[in-house]
Amino acid sequence: MRKELIGLDHLMISTPDLPAIRACYLRLGFSVTPWRTNEPMGGGKTGGRGGNHLVLFRPTDDRMTNFLEFAYADPAHAVPYMRDLLGRRPALAMIVHAATDLPALDQAWQAAGFPACMYYELDTDYRDPEDGTVDRIHFRVLVPDAPRGPLAFNACEVMDRSHYLRPAWITHPNSAEYWAAATVVTDDPAAMRNHLAAIYGIDPAGQGPVSVTLGDQTLKAVDAAGFAAVWGDAARRADGSAAELAVEVRIASADTARAVLARNGVRFRDEGSRLVVPAAEAGGIVLVLAEAA
């Protein structure tokens, strides 16, 4: 495992409708940050509506953050990279890693065959449009200059975590604590295995599950048939298409989450300590709320 990689920090999930996804996750019992613009996604000074909502959790490592980013690229205003990355049905658009020593990581990725990375630093104040609170956002990010392989990825180093640790944002009515696992659909498991091996600097074992675990988070990849076999009817989006992502969120209490879902009229599969919310109810992805084993 590459020593510069600390963990699987957050999941960037494509969404076609930001107001709808916020309403959806509030209904599921999460706290959701206000809409924020993002110029590469076609927001801010571009005049478009590109941006994101975050579902923030308690980090499982004090050097990183932990959240789901629901992101939308305004087609008329976004840069081509973001438009291509986010211009599809809900899916994992990018896995974002927590890392240290970004220059060394860039060299390691180039040695593994990836293109040189772009380096970007943001240090700014964010004014909450709903309550006026001002937070500092300060991070550095390393992004491969030309996307390559079956899954987009980057690495970030968060210099100031206070924005991501606001108590009102990391406390959830459904008792959610952190995201623990993500399972993505891949058309070519062998290619995905080799891709992950290059990202993480590990042996691309020729058989068995395609998965990587860093700390308390796991990323898995399966083919469409395997995904459907595990999730059944829960893997159908509201429009009838097949979901491509399942996210497991650790919760403190299944009873609490169950009560929230039932009160809000959410359909779910009750497996005792694990509640499966179908893609049709979770913004196009399968959502699993699970107590620790």
Side-chain angles (χ1 to χ4, degrees):
M1 189 68 67
R2 302 199 187 285
K3 63 181 184 301
E4 298 88 2
L5 293 173
I6 298 169
L8 306 177
D9 193 273
H10 65 274
L11 308 173
M12 179 187 285
I13 301 168
S14 54
T15 184
D17 188 328
L18 286 172
I21 202 68
R22 190 184 197 199
C24 174
Y25 276 74
L26 289 171
R27 178 172 175 252
L28 295 174
F30 294 96
S31 301
V32 185
T33 65
W35 172 67
R36 68 193 66 202
T37 63
N38 179 291
E39 291 188 11
M41 295 177 190
K45 296 177 182 177
T46 71
R49 293 287 299 172
N52 57 36
H53 287 294
L54 310 182
V55 177
L56 296 162
F57 302 115
R58 171 181 56 81
T60 57
D61 185 303
D62 62 10
R63 299 169 295 173
M64 54 190 281
T65 59
N66 183 280
F67 60 91
L68 309 181
E69 175 185 2
F70 291 97
Y72 167 72
D74 187 327
H77 298 87
V79 299
Y81 173 68
M82 280 297 177
R83 187 170 61 242
D84 294 344
L85 192 67
L86 298 173
R88 53 182 173 154
R89 289 188 174 102
L92 180 60
M94 180 180 287
I95 178 71
V96 181
H97 302 91
T100 60
D101 199 349
L102 297 183
L105 181 58
D106 184 14
Q107 291 300 312
W109 278 345
Q110 288 186 56
F114 294 112
C117 289
M118 298 179 288
Y119 180 87
Y120 173 71
E121 181 168 358
L122 179 67
D123 188 356
T124 188
D125 288 335
Y126 168 79
R127 180 177 295 275
D128 188 324
E130 296 181 348
D131 68 11
T133 301
V134 176
D135 295 333
R136 183 187 183 199
I137 299 177
H138 186 194
F139 62 80
R140 299 167 182 157
V141 64
L142 196 67
V143 185
D145 189 46
R148 182 180 299 172
L151 180 63
F153 64 96
N154 70 13
C156 69
E157 184 176 8
V158 179
M159 316 308 292
D160 187 330
R161 297 194 309 154
S162 58
H163 176 72
Y164 304 95
L165 297 176
R166 201 189 294 186
W169 286 348
I170 64 172
T171 303
H172 304 275
N174 63 11
S175 81
E177 296 185 319
Y178 58 92
W179 80 264
T183 302
V184 301
V185 171
T186 178
D187 294 333
D188 189 338
M192 180 67 84
R193 180 178 288 110
N194 290 332
H195 186 58
L196 296 182
I199 293 171
Y200 300 106
I202 56 177
D203 183 349
Q207 58 185 1
V210 182
S211 68
V212 172
T213 298
L214 280 174
D216 295 294
Q217 282 70 48
T218 297
L219 175 66
K220 305 175 185 177
V222 298
D223 62 20
F227 192 88
V230 171
W231 303 114
D233 291 343
R236 287 289 165 190
R237 302 187 181 107
D239 65 2
S241 62
E244 302 170 44
L245 172 66
V247 176
E248 180 175 315
V249 173
R250 190 72 67 239
I251 54 176
S253 168
D255 287 340
T256 297
R258 185 180 293 111
V260 169
L261 297 179
R263 182 170 63 248
N264 292 338
V266 177
R267 294 182 299 107
F268 63 96
R269 189 165 76 211
D270 195 331
E271 299 179 353
S273 63
R274 200 172 85 139
L275 312 176
V276 178
V277 182
E281 297 273 11
I285 69 172
V286 179
L287 179 69
V288 182
L289 304 175
E291 290 182 347

